[in-house]
Amino acid sequence: MPVLVITGTGTEVGKTVTTAAVAAAALSAGHSVAVLKAAQTGVQPDERGDADEVARLAGAVTAAELARYPEPLAPGTAARRAGMAPVHPQEVADRAAELATVHDLVLVEGAGGLLVRFDAAGGTLADAARMLDAPVLIVAPAGLGTLNATELTARELRRHGLEPAGVVIGSWPQHPGLADRCNVSDLPEVAAAPLLGAVPAGAGSLAPTGFRSQAPGWLAPRLNGTWDGEAFQKREGA
């Protein structure tokens, strides 16, 4: 798995922190890691972007981004409003493939959900993943509404000829409600893909040393972690 594409079912679902956890777990397993942010929006030139945040939390990763736009909008819209060149899926695929020649693992983090448009032609992260023939990890929220969004994302991946690598819950609450606990069983069913982890709510606020030491425990062995999904389901599920 030299390239892993990471998408969310929407915005603010814990995608960047999950990307950092995957990077930290891979680093702890002795792998070299690069993180590519396809398009960064809502960030000024002198501000830290998502790839920088992954590096801060995870450690010695190569952090790269293709473009950044000042307004917090879909990349295609943000590029148009800023009068800047958009990012195209082929550029994402080419840069990820280049990084993969010198790293064991390249994590490509999208912007928002799978079908957020990069350019006027309607290019998306799904197109870049198809060009790379890369697996796609779905980051989903824990609570109400997640089943529909997760199933739609998984279906769209398959429509593009891609198989979801699995689902990670991007922010598992300290005190889960009934819907959260039921979704532990329902998420892998609706996605027809395994549940590969649950990142605790607030994990991004941990000190980097604590984040790095704990991250493998949030992710399944397929993601270089030690998380036991069966035990988690017995403990947290409904």
Side-chain angles (χ1 to χ4, degrees):
M1 186 171 42
V3 179
L4 177 65
V5 175
I6 301 179
T7 190
T9 58
T11 58
E12 303 300 323
V13 297
K15 186 168 69 270
T16 297
V17 176
T18 298
T19 301
V22 174
L27 288 169
S28 72
H31 302 300
S32 59
V33 180
V35 176
L36 173 63
K37 182 69 177 181
Q40 177 71 63
T41 64
V43 175
Q44 298 299 320
D46 59 343
E47 294 179 329
R48 296 175 62 86
D50 291 343
D52 299 316
E53 179 64 4
V54 172
R56 183 186 73 82
L57 289 170
V61 304
T62 298
E65 62 180 38
L66 287 178
R68 61 168 54 193
Y69 308 108
E71 295 181 315
L73 302 168
T77 304
R80 184 184 72 245
R81 284 179 52 84
M84 299 171 68
V87 171
H88 302 291
Q90 188 65 61
E91 295 175 82
V92 179
D94 289 346
R95 182 63 171 133
E98 178 186 358
L99 288 166
T101 63
V102 290
H103 296 85
D104 299 324
L105 176 64
V106 178
L107 303 175
V108 180
E109 182 186 342
L114 181 68
L115 298 185
V116 169
R117 295 189 173 200
F118 287 155
D119 55 26
T124 68
L125 186 68
D127 297 317
R130 188 181 64 247
M131 293 170 184
L132 288 161
D133 193 24
V136 181
L137 183 67
I138 301 171
V139 181
L144 284 173
T146 194
L147 299 180
N148 180 67
T150 301
E151 184 165 0
L152 288 172
T153 300
R155 286 187 181 188
E156 191 62 24
L157 283 171
R158 293 188 172 97
R159 192 178 73 82
H160 280 78
L162 298 162
E163 277 296 315
V167 179
V168 171
I169 297 172
S171 182
W172 182 251
Q174 184 177 1
H175 302 291
L178 179 60
D180 306 310
R181 292 184 287 113
C182 287
N183 288 339
V184 172
S185 297
D186 291 342
L187 277 168
E189 181 177 344
V190 301
L195 187 63
L196 294 181
V199 178
S205 298
L206 291 171
T209 52
F211 185 94
R212 296 166 196 172
S213 66
Q214 295 180 48
W218 306 331
L219 301 169
R222 285 182 58 182
L223 295 175
N224 296 293
T226 59
W227 183 78
D228 186 334
E230 186 173 326
F232 181 83
Q233 183 169 336
K234 288 179 179 178
R235 184 178 70 250
E236 303 283 3

